[in-house]
Amino acid sequence: MIYCPKCGTAQAPDARRCPNCKTRIRASRKDRKAAERESAATSGRELRRAEGTTADALGYEAMYANGTCRVSKGTYSRTVEFDDANFQSARESEQVDVLNAYCELLNAVDDDILIKVQIYAQAIDLDVWRDEMFMPEVEEDDAGNRYRAELNSIIEMRMAESRQNVRRRRFMTFTCSQPTKEKADPVLARTCESAIRLLKNMGVEAREMSGVERLRLIDSVTNPQDGPDAVTYEALKDAPGLTTRDLVAPPTFERDRQTGATRCAWGRSKGCGLYVQKYANSVKSDLVAKLAELPINQIITLNLDCWDQTEARETIEGRLTDLKVQKTEYVRKHSQQIYITDEMLPADMQDAILTAEEIRGDLVSRDQKYWGFSMTSLTWADTDEALEHNIDEVQNVVRGHNMRMEPMVGLQLEAFRNSLPVGYNGVPQGWDYNMTTAGAANFMPLTSVEINDAHGQWYGYNQISKNFIFYNRRASSSPNGFILGKPGRGKSVQAKLSIINTLLADPDSEVIVLDPEREYIALADAFGGEVVKISSDSDTFINPFDLEFDREDNGGLGTKVDAVISIIDEMCKGLTAMQQTLVDRTCSQVYADYFETRDTEDIPTLVDFMEALRSQPEGEGAILATTIERYVTGQANVFAHRTNVDTQSRFVVYDIRDLADNLKGLGMLILLDATWQRIVRNQARGVRTWVFIDELQLLLDNDFTVSYFDRLWTRSRKYGAVPTGITQNVERLLLNEKTRLMVGNSDFLVILGQSATDAAALGQVLTLSGQQVATIRGAGVGEGLICADGRIVPFANQLPKETELYKVTTTKLEDVAELRRAAEKGA
């Protein structure tokens, strides 16, 4: 055996550094040979090594920081990682568009560049996943911990239905032949830039990988026990003589002789490399997607090596000539007995002629390329039994598409190298299957989009892939959002779930709800929130002239003037240009003392504002003051008092259900401005403010209100606010130019069931596919689409009825009545 000189642990015969302490192993050649013989004798396995070290099993020579890899002398590669897209669930016409775009991408690559398309499906550590996604307990929050535990248990219960145990990533590696790296870099950079641009034209986000990212991807396969950041270039500075290959080399690499050299092993992993031995005449575009959906460790690799166009045409034309000669011979031989037509030729001859003519037409008339194509799968597991299960799963999927996949006999090392993202093609050239670009595009690597952000809020599961949806709105560049849906489709339930997630997962933030229909009281009671009731007969008042000093906005007066103009416009049902000027001037006058003293006692009220209007030299001021008099001294004077609400709660619900219907729009606008003042105050304290505005359509009655609302929406992120509008009236939202743009520019949308007209209108604004429009048109309760940072997925999110979370979020009349009866019985 070989032992580490520092920590004393036993090492593999070909170990160059200790995996525990990273100390370099300096065993003699004689000791290594003895250890190899001992290992082979005890395990029945033979070490498979290229040049005496497992680093040679990687299939490359050097990895540079800029992302370029030297595969071998004169051969270099770079890798692009790209996201998934909704292809398999799209309509046939939409799939055709994506296939055409993918063909354009393949055709755009220079003929002398090898393309390697790969899908990495790797099992994740469920304990690590739980640490990332589950809500941890919070000290001294027993009530909140009860809900955290219940939410975690719901996710745990549904894990069996999901494919959450496998993480899938997609890559495209381009390999070129150039004498030096300096000559290869511009060629590869240009190819990657073109591929990224064309992928984005398909609606697929893509990015070029750096050298350390490629190394970490390799290390996730060769040394899965390492952490995600274990590999760094800095490690080489402290270890002279080591290369990047030493950082990511597997501890061992073996070929099992007992299985006819059709299995391999590295470290603790037992693997098998398979290749497609028999291809079908036509391939459905869901083959790769079906393979990728398997819940196993697997790397699917598609190698595309372009023929020289002249050679390809000559080859196909020569083949077509041979077939025509065979046809002539067949006709000559049988025509003495009967007249032979084309339909009477043998079926295989007819098919061969038709295929050759189609290929020639593709190459000559449709400017397609001709490819040497191969498809492989490297799958691995911890035990031999699990590995055999994986192999059966892969072969069954391929067999279902009239193809055959078999282990690569005696070439398991080549299969391993072929599967790493370095650009090495380990499939013998004679195993290639020749096809045009259209044929290669049928091996489509796209399936469905996922939203799976670490430490994000839970939004149910993806209806296509069954994977959970976790989205982190705080990390979004534009966290503003909307929740849209017809009555009874679960808008308020989805809003309440978002509030619950925020209260439980973001304990330093505040949540404010504008509640016109008294739907959030039970939630406030359950989570220790404060309900502020605003009505004509209540003794709770909000002064619309409250003003927090704003460092970003000239003290805050500019935004306040806009708010007052909108409020007075709502009272008067319209303002002339002159009246707007009077309101602006009067605002500056009534705030003069407050700006001088900074004493809250000097904050003006609506009474002060009306009196200042009457004192304006223009007669229009007195008329305007008389117009708003009913809101100051009349029956609607609920907003003419100083604020007497001094809530310190981090969860506040403004209840305005008992306001008269003709005052609700005004009340919503004043409370929205009061919320903005709190946002400004929270920004100074470094506190994030989440705002939920239900029945948003009440704010859309006039242009001034919409303009003010739009300004708040665009400025929220800078002030640490996360606003969410909730409405059933999608048509009114989309009819206004400003609110339509607000919807289109929001990074977060929950779109529940819609009417046919609203679904079509949303489809135009958000450029949804036909299938996505159909999804929201036919969605049930708690179902629809989630749009998050450009990712659009069909989702479902229904809570089990027996849970406490369901009880505090449901708005169904029968559920509320049943809960009330249970509470009365319990009391």
Side-chain angles (χ1 to χ4, degrees):
M1 292 293 292
I2 299 174
Y3 298 92
C4 174
K6 183 175 181 180
C7 64
T9 57
Q11 304 294 316
D14 58 344
R16 286 297 186 271
R17 61 186 173 93
C18 177
N20 296 323
C21 64
K22 308 302 181 184
T23 300
R24 188 172 184 182
I25 308 300
R26 299 182 180 276
S28 67
R29 183 177 180 83
K30 181 179 179 180
D31 290 339
R32 291 186 184 279
K33 287 296 183 182
E36 289 174 22
R37 289 192 295 271
E38 178 184 355
S39 175
T42 56
S43 66
R45 296 174 183 267
E46 175 189 349
L47 214 60
R48 174 81 174 184
R49 301 174 301 168
E51 296 174 10
T53 168
T54 58
D56 293 314
L58 300 173
Y60 81 94
E61 293 181 353
M63 184 74 71
Y64 302 97
N66 71 340
T68 298
C69 173
R70 187 174 75 235
V71 184
S72 60
K73 185 178 180 180
T75 305
Y76 299 86
S77 71
R78 283 193 184 182
T79 296
V80 169
E81 180 173 8
F82 60 97
D83 295 340
D84 206 347
N86 289 320
F87 175 78
Q88 301 302 329
S89 62
R91 290 181 175 178
E92 184 176 351
S93 60
E94 296 162 351
Q95 288 184 340
V96 169
D97 291 339
V98 175
L99 283 168
N100 290 336
Y102 188 51
C103 286
E104 182 183 354
L105 188 158
L106 297 179
N107 284 333
V109 178
D110 292 345
D111 294 354
D112 56 352
I113 291 180
L114 174 71
I115 304 174
K116 186 184 289 286
V117 181
Q118 296 182 291
I119 299 179
Y120 273 52
Q122 292 175 265
I124 60 176
D125 188 322
L126 291 182
D127 290 333
V128 173
W129 184 84
R130 290 185 181 94
D131 289 341
E132 290 181 353
M133 301 304 185
F134 279 17
M135 289 190 184
E137 289 190 354
V138 175
E139 292 185 9
E140 301 180 358
D141 186 17
D142 293 340
N145 287 337
R146 179 163 57 93
Y147 289 106
R148 291 183 184 94
E150 186 173 74
L151 190 57
N152 291 342
S153 68
I154 292 172
I155 298 173
E156 183 84 41
M157 177 183 65
R158 290 184 172 167
M159 282 183 67
E161 305 169 10
S162 76
R163 303 188 183 102
Q164 201 66 48
N165 61 328
V166 176
R167 183 165 292 163
R168 298 167 182 85
R169 299 172 66 185
R170 289 162 170 78
F171 307 93
M172 194 172 289
T173 299
F174 303 99
T175 306
C176 71
S177 297
Q178 292 291 333
T180 63
K181 175 181 176 295
E182 288 69 28
K183 290 185 178 295
D185 275 344
V187 174
L188 293 171
R190 184 173 62 251
T191 302
C192 290
E193 289 170 5
S194 174
I196 290 171
R197 183 182 69 256
L198 291 170
L199 283 166
K200 289 185 176 181
N201 290 343
M202 296 166 59
V204 178
E205 289 299 315
R207 66 211 66 83
E208 188 175 344
M209 298 182 74
S210 66
V212 72
E213 288 174 329
R214 295 180 76 180
L215 289 173
R216 287 172 178 172
L217 180 60
I218 295 170
D219 194 61
S220 70
V221 177
T222 56
N223 299 286
Q225 72 281 357
D226 288 353
D229 301 326
V231 177
T232 63
Y233 278 98
E234 286 70 20
L236 298 178
K237 297 178 181 178
D238 301 326
L242 292 185
T243 69
T244 60
R245 302 198 313 163
D246 296 297
L247 295 178
V248 299
T252 60
F253 190 91
E254 302 171 329
R255 180 185 65 186
D256 192 342
R257 294 184 299 176
Q258 294 179 357
T259 59
T262 59
R263 303 291 186 270
C264 59
W266 61 94
R268 300 175 183 175
S269 301
K270 302 175 185 296
C272 176
L274 303 99
Y275 77 108
V276 175
Q277 187 183 71
K278 176 183 176 298
Y279 289 84
N281 291 330
S282 61
V283 179
K284 293 182 180 179
S285 58
D286 64 346
L287 169 60
V288 177
K290 294 290 186 184
L291 278 176
E293 289 175 358
L294 293 175
I296 62 175
N297 284 321
Q298 182 186 195
I299 301 174
I300 303 166
T301 301
L302 312 175
N303 292 308
L304 293 98
D305 190 359
C306 187
W307 282 54
D308 176 80
Q309 289 298 91
T310 301
E311 182 184 358
R313 290 182 184 180
E314 290 177 351
T315 301
I316 294 301
E317 288 173 351
R319 182 179 176 189
L320 189 57
T321 299
D322 291 341
L323 289 168
K324 289 180 178 179
V325 170
Q326 293 178 30
K327 173 185 173 182
T328 301
E329 289 294 324
Y330 183 88
V331 171
R332 184 184 61 79
K333 181 177 180 180
H334 295 84
S335 60
Q336 297 176 357
Q337 301 172 357
I338 189 173
Y339 178 73
I340 302 296
T341 65
D342 287 348
E343 291 76 12
M344 299 171 65
L345 295 173
D348 57 347
M349 183 180 293
Q350 293 184 48
D351 293 341
I353 293 173
L354 180 61
T355 300
E357 289 176 340
E358 288 179 349
I359 292 175
R360 183 182 183 280
D362 288 338
L363 298 179
V364 175
S365 305
R366 288 178 283 277
D367 294 325
Q368 292 194 24
K369 294 183 177 181
Y370 202 51
W371 303 88
F373 178 91
S374 63
M375 176 176 173
T376 67
S377 170
L378 177 72
T379 182
W380 67 95
D382 292 335
T383 65
D384 291 325
E385 292 76 12
L387 175 61
E388 295 306 316
H389 168 77
N390 290 1
I391 295 171
D392 288 342
E393 291 285 294
V394 170
Q395 290 180 320
N396 286 338
V397 169
V398 175
R399 192 178 298 116
H401 286 72
N402 297 320
M403 297 164 63
R404 186 167 63 245
M405 206 167 202
E406 298 294 340
M408 296 174 64
V409 180
L411 293 172
Q412 289 298 301
L413 174 62
E414 300 300 304
F416 181 79
R417 288 173 170 173
N418 179 73
S419 299
L420 298 180
V422 297
Y424 183 93
N425 187 354
V427 180
Q429 189 171 4
W431 292 4
D432 285 355
Y433 185 81
N434 297 321
M435 61 182 67
T436 61
T437 302
N442 280 328
F443 292 83
M444 173 60 65
L446 302 176
T447 55
S448 61
V449 171
E450 301 291 351
I451 303 174
N452 192 11
D453 298 348
H455 308 294
Q457 291 188 12
W458 181 60
Y459 288 96
Y461 63 90
N462 185 325
Q463 287 187 303
I464 297 175
S465 68
K466 307 306 180 185
N467 283 334
F468 291 142
I469 298 172
F470 288 92
Y471 176 53
N472 187 354
R473 287 181 73 182
R474 293 171 297 178
S476 173
S477 59
S478 177
N480 305 336
F482 287 91
I483 299 175
L484 311 172
K486 290 194 302 183
R489 288 300 187 271
K491 295 185 304 299
S492 62
V493 172
Q494 298 305 319
K496 290 172 188 175
L497 285 174
S498 186
I499 292 170
I500 291 170
N501 272 282
T502 301
L503 293 170
L504 296 178
D506 196 2
D508 296 326
S509 66
E510 293 188 354
V511 177
I512 300 173
V513 181
L514 275 60
D515 181 12
E517 297 298 334
R518 196 171 290 162
E519 293 187 340
Y520 296 81
I521 307 303
L523 190 65
D525 292 341
F527 284 86
E530 183 171 349
V531 179
V532 178
K533 183 179 179 182
I534 307 292
S535 67
S536 301
D537 58 355
S538 73
D539 55 0
T540 304
F541 305 116
I542 300 290
N543 180 11
F545 285 84
D546 285 342
L547 176 63
E548 292 286 337
F549 283 97
D550 183 358
R551 296 168 297 177
E552 308 284 345
D553 182 25
N554 191 27
L557 186 59
T559 301
K560 175 56 72 174
V561 169
D562 292 338
V564 173
I565 290 176
S566 299
I567 291 169
I568 302 303
D569 182 84
E570 177 71 19
M571 291 177 176
C572 299
K573 305 305 177 186
L575 291 176
T576 66
M578 181 179 181
Q579 289 172 334
Q580 294 174 46
T581 301
L582 285 172
V583 172
D584 191 327
R585 182 202 304 162
T586 305
C587 273
S588 298
Q589 293 174 358
V590 297
Y591 278 107
D593 290 345
Y594 177 52
F595 269 79
E596 181 178 347
T597 65
R598 302 292 177 98
D599 187 344
T600 56
E601 292 297 321
D602 290 327
I603 293 178
T605 65
L606 194 56
V607 175
D608 300 322
F609 181 79
M610 185 184 73
E611 293 175 352
L613 268 179
R614 290 191 190 280
S615 67
Q616 297 301 313
E618 296 84 359
E620 192 75 20
I623 296 174
L624 191 57
T626 302
T627 305
I628 67 172
E629 186 174 325
R630 69 180 292 262
Y631 297 98
V632 183
T633 59
Q635 296 298 317
N637 69 346
V638 64
F639 297 111
H641 308 273
R642 290 192 179 278
T643 298
N644 61 0
V645 177
D646 185 23
T647 177
Q648 300 300 314
S649 174
R650 62 181 292 254
F651 180 25
V652 179
V653 176
Y654 288 112
D655 174 12
I656 61 171
R657 193 181 75 167
D658 292 338
L659 270 179
D661 288 343
N662 63 338
L663 289 179
K664 280 190 176 180
L666 177 63
M668 288 279 283
L669 183 57
I670 290 173
L671 290 174
L672 187 62
D673 182 66
T675 299
W676 176 255
Q677 301 306 317
R678 184 155 179 169
I679 289 171
V680 173
R681 184 167 70 248
N682 284 345
Q683 183 208 27
R685 298 165 49 221
V687 173
R688 190 187 313 276
T689 312
W690 295 70
V691 183
F692 294 83
I693 309 163
D694 209 345
E695 303 297 341
L696 184 68
Q697 67 274 6
L698 296 175
L699 290 170
L700 307 180
D701 284 338
N702 63 67
D703 290 339
F704 286 107
T705 303
V706 170
S707 296
Y708 177 66
F709 181 50
D710 178 45
R711 283 192 292 274
L712 295 185
W713 214 252
T714 56
R715 302 177 68 197
S716 291
R717 184 181 183 278
K718 187 168 69 172
Y719 287 81
V722 184
T724 303
I726 308 156
T727 183
Q728 64 189 19
N729 201 324
V730 174
E731 184 178 3
R732 288 188 64 190
L733 198 65
L734 299 181
L735 282 175
N736 187 286
E737 178 68 21
K738 289 184 177 178
T739 52
R740 184 168 68 249
L741 289 174
M742 288 167 61
V743 172
N745 293 330
S746 294
D747 278 355
F748 176 73
L749 298 172
V750 176
I751 309 176
L752 299 159
Q754 303 287 328
S755 66
T757 54
D758 284 347
L762 283 168
Q764 289 183 346
V765 172
L766 303 174
T767 61
L768 300 177
S769 69
Q771 182 63 38
Q772 290 166 340
V773 171
T775 296
I776 56 178
R777 192 171 57 237
V781 177
E783 298 176 351
L785 295 177
I786 283 186
C787 310
D789 291 329
R791 298 166 291 179
I792 304 176
V793 303
F795 84 102
N797 192 9
Q798 299 103 355
L799 292 171
K801 192 171 182 179
E802 65 276 6
T803 62
E804 291 298 318
L805 287 169
Y806 180 89
K807 295 175 184 177
V808 299
T809 58
T810 183
T811 55
K812 287 185 178 180
L813 186 61
E814 58 273 22
D815 290 337
V816 174
E818 182 180 341
L819 291 171
R820 185 182 297 114
R821 288 193 297 270
E824 292 172 352
K825 184 177 180 180

